[in-house]
Amino acid sequence: MHLATQMNGQGLESGSWRWPGENPQGFIDVRSFVDAASIAEEGKFDAFFLTDFPAATDMSKTGPMTSLDPVLTLGVVSQHTKTIGLVGTRATTFNAPYSIAREFRSLDLMSHGRAGWNLVTSGAPVVLLNYLDHVPSSPERHARSREVWEAVVRLWGSFPDDALLLDVESGQFADMKAITSIDYHGRYVSSRGPLALPPSPQGMPVVFTAGMSENSLRFAVDHADSYFNYAPTLGHARRYWSVLRKALMQKGRAPDSVTVFSGVVTSVASTTREALERREALDRLGDLDSLRLQLGTLLGGSLHDIDFDSPIPASTLSQFHQVPNDPRAEQARALARKGANIREIVAHGFLSLHPVAWGTPEQVADYLETWFRAGTGGGFMIEPDSGLSGLRDFVDQVVPILQKRGLFRTEYTSNTLRGHLGLPYRNGLT
Ligand SMILES: Cc1cc2nc3c(=O)[nH]c(=O)nc-3n(C[C@H](O)[C@H](O)[C@H](O)COP(=O)(O)O)c2cc1C
């Protein structure tokens, strides 16, 4: 099993910034990122992962979707950690290949071979319009993305392993015959190269990607080392992995050469009841009205006049329309029929983007083991509910169970991110 954690200096749930003991300004406090990565490293995680959403959204109640720049932040984190992989997101739609190649190679050198680049096309207009005067279509973003990927990887490979000579005796610093231009001219981007920085101990950074479209899956099949996935249920995750597996084999790639990290929110407590109470407490700190609105949408009707603490009347439920093809809607409806109130239904986690594993440490470990054994691509992106304290609970209470069951490493066996993921040294296109 491979584990990474995603947390932009604080928890990602809408109430996490107010959770007792959490730092409300974690998103702009580099110390919070260092602390989170250090806890994850204690837990022998493969990687500490930062998404990127460079735009101001409505943060009046729920906290920001954005945070400090990921690559700059990971540069600092690299100096306070030793072994854990450090993955940062950079979108291809509005960044130049030379900038991406240089930034991630710098991070890879600073961290001695622990860097990963999460390549995203970024479909959000609120982000895109901060850089561009229009919103490119998905096919256009992906066409550009492939060019950016190729130019970046060629740039990384343009400085080969043996070109830095550092021969003090003879006075030969580098072999300039080996460091060659790439002369890349695509439809969308160009770069002459070469890059002026040598490879790290792992060669070049690991390439992650995250997306939901067919184009994004195709990119993963062709070029990615790891995939950050959104799968609302085990069924979705299994289907997704089986499609990806088959496509990888058709392409002639070993299926286990790509690790899928399925996003999962974790809520750990001493008992099942306490875990639900913990989630209810977290929801109370967030935007409950917005959660009620979302639950209404999931159930197929409006709940605006229903009290948070009263059961949803059967007469109201019977007027709702069925939301097809969403197993989470069916589970939520079943709870409502049993008399659960809005707070209790929401606490089960049906509204989170990523599914929620809640319960005792054993139950959370069971959840991960079930998914892992069912074949979902080998990895999990852990999103601890409250933030750093939730990560601490996961590392102290769930990781030892996974280790005892022989599912997760007890010690690091490598110092590079490629090593953690079982990938060989690589620098450049081949
Ligand atoms: C799990 C996951 C994580 C993502 N993380 C980011 C991110 O950090 N920044 C970003 O701009 N977009 C992110 N995206 C959005 C994708 O880049 C992409 O725009 C979106 O999935 C639309 O898909 P398409 O571009 O393939 O049509 C993420 C998507 C998924 C599924």
Side-chain angles (χ1 to χ4, degrees):
M1 187 183 289
H2 296 280
L3 294 177
T5 187
Q6 184 218 342
M7 191 200 314
N8 293 352
Q10 54 197 61
L12 303 174
E13 300 282 76
S14 72
S16 347
W17 68 275
R18 297 173 68 196
W19 190 257
E22 292 293 327
N23 178 1
Q25 40 176 341
F27 79 112
I28 48 166
D29 186 344
V30 76
R31 196 65 241 170
S32 285
F33 293 80
V34 169
D35 289 347
S38 305
I39 297 170
E41 189 169 64
E42 263 182 61
K44 312 286 183 268
F45 276 43
D46 295 68
F48 180 65
F49 188 102
L50 296 181
T51 54
D52 195 25
F53 200 83
T57 49
D58 180 359
M59 57 178 101
S60 51
K61 286 190 175 166
T62 58
M65 278 183 72
T66 191
S67 59
L68 295 174
D69 178 273
V71 184
L72 281 174
T73 305
L74 291 174
V76 176
V77 172
S78 74
Q79 301 309 295
H80 296 272
T81 51
K82 279 205 171 76
T83 323
I84 192 167
L86 306 171
V87 185
T89 301
R90 273 281 185 267
T92 47
T93 309
F94 46 81
N95 285 297
Y98 199 89
S99 306
I100 295 175
R102 186 163 179 253
E103 286 169 348
F104 282 92
R105 169 128 302 163
S106 300
L107 179 63
D108 213 17
L109 289 166
M110 285 179 206
S111 63
H112 307 289
R114 295 186 281 135
W117 168 33
N118 180 36
L119 175 159
V120 296
T121 59
S122 192
V126 67
V127 169
L128 295 171
L129 295 176
N130 286 339
Y131 295 89
L132 307 170
D133 62 5
H134 70 292
V135 174
S137 68
S138 176
E140 193 184 334
R141 282 187 278 115
H142 280 279
R144 181 184 153 110
S145 191
R146 283 181 173 257
E147 289 190 6
V148 173
W149 172 83
E150 186 178 337
V152 168
V153 174
R154 281 182 187 276
L155 283 165
W156 283 336
S158 69
F159 201 126
D161 315 332
D162 48 6
L164 193 65
L165 302 174
L166 302 181
D167 191 332
V168 176
E169 297 268 295
S170 70
Q172 200 65 30
F173 188 81
D175 174 6
M176 286 315 287
K177 283 198 290 303
I179 304 168
T180 49
S181 340
I182 63 162
D183 290 317
Y184 184 83
H185 299 287
R187 191 164 156 222
Y188 298 93
V189 294
S190 293
S191 183
R192 188 181 63 185
L195 197 65
L197 297 170
S200 82
Q202 67 172 350
M204 65 181 192
V206 173
V207 176
F208 279 63
T209 193
M212 286 185 290
S213 66
E214 175 66 30
N215 280 331
S216 161
L217 182 108
R218 283 277 18 129
F219 174 82
V221 170
D222 290 343
H223 302 306
D225 301 309
S226 286
Y227 199 97
F228 177 18
N229 194 22
Y230 155 65
T233 66
L234 177 56
H236 286 88
R238 287 186 65 191
R239 270 196 300 283
Y240 198 87
W241 175 232
S242 119
V243 170
L244 185 57
R245 239 183 102 81
K246 266 194 214 114
L248 284 167
M249 287 191 289
Q250 274 164 8
K251 174 91 192 167
R253 293 184 69 190
D256 62 0
S257 62
V258 174
T259 303
V260 176
F261 286 85
S262 301
V264 54
V265 179
T266 53
S267 287
V268 183
S270 312
T271 64
T272 316
R273 183 67 241 161
E274 273 178 36
L276 270 186
E277 283 166 8
R278 175 186 172 93
R279 295 204 51 79
E280 280 184 46
L282 196 55
D283 290 338
R284 261 195 302 278
L285 296 175
D287 188 351
L288 258 184
D289 285 321
S290 149
L291 290 173
R292 174 163 57 185
L293 193 77
Q294 290 174 49
L295 181 63
T297 308
L298 185 72
L299 291 174
S302 169
L303 297 169
H304 76 276
D305 53 355
I306 312 286
D307 186 71
F308 290 115
D309 298 304
S310 318
I312 305 171
S315 55
T316 306
L317 267 182
S318 65
Q319 287 165 19
F320 286 3
H321 63 266
Q322 298 279 319
V323 178
N325 301 328
D326 191 339
R328 298 208 280 183
E330 199 31 64
Q331 290 161 0
R333 201 174 293 115
L335 274 179
R337 277 199 221 98
K338 281 190 198 154
N341 64 39
I342 293 180
R343 254 191 238 292
E344 289 162 340
I345 301 172
V346 167
H348 282 73
F350 304 124
L351 301 177
S352 297
L353 175 63
H354 294 287
V356 183
W358 52 270
T360 62
E362 283 76 19
Q363 285 170 323
V364 173
D366 289 347
Y367 180 104
L368 298 178
E369 179 167 3
T370 304
W371 277 53
F372 179 73
R373 292 204 187 282
T376 54
F380 296 97
M381 186 69 73
I382 303 297
E383 297 173 5
D385 56 1
S386 61
L388 270 72
S389 54
L391 182 61
R392 169 55 68 202
D393 293 343
F394 184 89
V395 163
D396 289 351
Q397 299 172 43
V398 182
V399 168
I401 299 172
L402 298 173
Q403 290 171 327
K404 217 162 156 194
R405 293 182 188 177
L407 292 166
F408 189 60
R409 66 169 73 83
T410 49
E411 291 301 334
Y412 283 114
T413 52
S414 164
N415 292 319
T416 67
L417 179 53
R418 282 186 183 277
H420 302 333
L421 295 171
L423 299 168
Y425 178 99
R426 182 178 164 191
N427 183 38
L429 278 184
T430 49

